[in-house]
Amino acid sequence: MSGLFDPVPFGALSLPNRLVMSPMGRGRTSADGTPLPVMAEYYAQRAAAGLVISEATHPSPVAVGHAHSVRLHTAEQARAWAEIVDAVHRAGGRMYLQIMHAGRISHPDLHGETPVAPSAVRADGTARVFRGKPGYPVPRPLTTQEIAATIEDFARCARTAVDIGFDGVEIHGANGYLLHQFLSPVTNVRDDEYGGGAEGRVRFPVEVARAVAAEVGPERTGMRLSPGFPLNDMSEPDRAVVYQVLLDALDALGLGHVHFVAGSDLDLVHALSRRWRRTVVVNPGTGPLDTDTTLAAADKALADGADLLSFGRQFLANPDLPERLRTRAPLNAWNPRFFYEGGGQGYTDYPVLAASTARRTG
C-alpha cells in the first residue's frame, strides 16, 4: 500500500488519497437525461475518494449513446448537476465531470437523428434504447462544419461544469466512442485533414482538448484513453504510433492528466505512462473483487508508473472503499441487476463499514 493513502497534489487540488472513483453510467436519470435527486446521495456517499469522476455525460442530444444516460446541455440539467457537485463538496469531496460523445455507438430511437461518426462505418452489436435491442445503424460522417460545432459543444459543456462547481473535467476519448473512433484507421477512413495518417486522426481529439482547456484551464482538463481496447467493435492496428503522437500533442497543451482504461494494451499503457510528464491515472482492473486483490492491483499499477488508481465496481458497492482498503476490511458484493435501474436499490443502499460492523456485533 506504498503511498496509496498519502495526500497527493492534483493540479490546484490536494487529494487525500490516490483512489479515484471511476466513471460509471448508472441510468438514474429522467428520459431526457436530467439527473435524478438520488444521484446526489450516491455521489456524496463516495466523497472519501481522492477524486470522484462523474459518469459519462453528453454535451448535446445527438451525443447520447444509451437510454437514461446523463446529459449537460440544458438549464434544468445544469441545476440538477449543481446539486450533485454541491453535495459532494459538502461531504468533503472533489469532483470532475466526464464529457462524452457516443458517435456511432448510438441509435435514432434515442434522439431522432442518424448517429454521427468520423466515417460511415457501422459498429457490430446492439444499441441500448428505451425499447428493444436494435442493431447499430450505419452512421453519417461528420462534416468539417459539424466537427467545429461538436468541439464547441464539448467546450460549452466544460464551461458550464466549472461554472456550477465542478473542480475540473475529463474528456472521454476511450471505449469506442466518438473521439476514440477518430483515432482508428478502421473507423476513420476520411481523406480530409481529420483522417489519413496519425497526425490527421488525432486532430479532432486534440482540438477538443484545446478548446476545453481554453475554457477551463489545462490544469483542470484531462482525457481518458484506452489504447487497444476492443470495446464497441474497435480495432487499432497502429496504436503504438497513434497514441505517442496523441500524447505528445496533449502534453504540449499542458493537460493535467491522462486516464488509462483497464483492458487496454498494458505494455503500451506503461510506455505512455512513462512518457506523460504530469498526472497519470490508471484503472488497473482486478479479478475477484476482494480487498487483497484490489490492493495488489493498486500496488502493481503504482509501481508501473501510475500516480492515481481508478476503481469502478469496487466503488459501486463500497461507498467507503478507501477506509475498507486502509483497514483491509472485506468488500461488499455487488449486484449487477441494478447497474442501470432500480432507483436507490443497488445504488445508495450498500452498507458502510461502521454500519456493517455494528450489525455483526449487535
Side-chain angles (χ1 to χ4, degrees), residues 1 3 8 11 15 22 25 34 49 65 69 75 92 109 111 121 156 159 183 204 229 241 252 256 276 303 310-311 348:
M1 294 191 293
V8 59
L15 309 186
S22 188
T34 301
S69 52
D109 285 1
H111 43 63
V121 180
R156 183 174 55 251
R159 178 75 265 165
L183 297 177
F204 174 63
F229 198 26
V241 173
W276 187 254
S310 69
F311 291 101
T348 57

Side-chain angles (χ1 to χ4, degrees), residues 104-142:
R104 68 178 188 160
I105 305 301
S106 186
H107 195 276
D109 285 1
L110 296 170
H111 43 63
E113 299 184 33
T114 300
V116 296
S119 303
V121 180
R122 188 183 72 85
D124 190 25
T126 56
R128 287 208 337 252
V129 298
F130 290 99
R131 290 181 178 84
K133 294 183 178 180
Y136 293 117
V138 176
R140 179 176 62 78
L142 285 161

Side-chain angles (χ1 to χ4, degrees), residues 328-351:
R328 295 186 178 272
L331 301 186
N332 295 322
W334 46 272
N335 187 342
R337 177 185 172 190
F338 300 110
F339 275 3
Y340 306 115
E341 61 181 34
Q345 190 173 12
Y347 188 60
T348 57
D349 58 357
Y350 285 104

Side-chain angles (χ1 to χ4, degrees), residues 44-107:
Q45 286 177 342
R46 290 152 178 82
L51 177 69
V52 173
I53 303 179
S54 82
E55 58 209 270
T57 303
H58 305 301
S60 67
V62 76
V64 172
H66 310 294
H68 289 294
S69 52
V70 69
R71 312 184 196 180
L72 179 53
H73 56 79
T74 71
E76 183 182 1
Q77 291 158 5
R79 285 191 292 270
W81 270 120
E83 293 177 4
I84 293 167
V85 72
D86 185 56
V88 171
H89 285 159
R90 289 198 309 270
R94 298 134 299 276
M95 190 172 188
Y96 269 37
L97 181 82
Q98 188 187 76
I99 309 173
M100 184 266 270
H101 192 305
R104 68 178 188 160
I105 305 301
S106 186
H107 195 276

Side-chain angles (χ1 to χ4, degrees), residues 250-332:
L250 298 179
D251 180 56
L253 296 176
L255 259 60
H257 78 273
V258 290
H259 182 181
F260 293 111
V261 177
S264 304
D265 180 335
L266 290 181
D267 289 339
L268 181 55
V269 166
H270 295 159
L272 295 173
S273 296
R274 292 189 293 269
R275 195 179 186 92
W276 187 254
R277 295 185 296 170
R278 284 172 291 280
T279 301
V280 173
V281 186
V282 173
N283 183 315
T286 59
L289 294 184
D290 60 61
T291 302
D292 289 343
T293 302
T294 300
L295 287 171
D299 277 345
K300 185 176 188 312
L302 289 172
D304 288 336
D307 299 298
L308 303 175
L309 293 311
S310 69
F311 291 101
R313 291 174 297 167
Q314 290 91 337
F315 267 111
L316 182 155
N318 297 276
D320 55 347
L321 181 65
E323 182 65 9
R324 287 179 183 269
L325 295 181
R326 189 185 66 80
T327 60
R328 295 186 178 272
L331 301 186
N332 295 322

Side-chain angles (χ1 to χ4, degrees), residues 147-220:
I147 286 175
T150 302
I151 292 168
E152 176 57 28
D153 288 338
F154 273 87
R156 183 174 55 251
C157 184
R159 178 75 265 165
T160 301
V162 170
D163 285 348
I164 62 177
F166 282 93
D167 298 293
V169 299
E170 180 176 275
I171 301 161
H172 200 332
N175 294 10
Y177 298 116
L178 183 62
L179 272 67
H180 198 187
Q181 294 159 25
F182 268 87
L183 297 177
S184 168
V186 178
T187 50
N188 181 354
V189 295
R190 301 175 72 98
D191 58 6
D192 63 4
E193 65 268 35
Y194 292 97
E199 289 77 10
R201 281 182 275 130
V202 307
R203 184 184 300 275
F204 174 63
V206 171
E207 289 183 355
V208 170
R210 181 181 293 114
V212 168
E215 284 291 335
V216 304
E219 74 285 354
R220 293 199 288 187

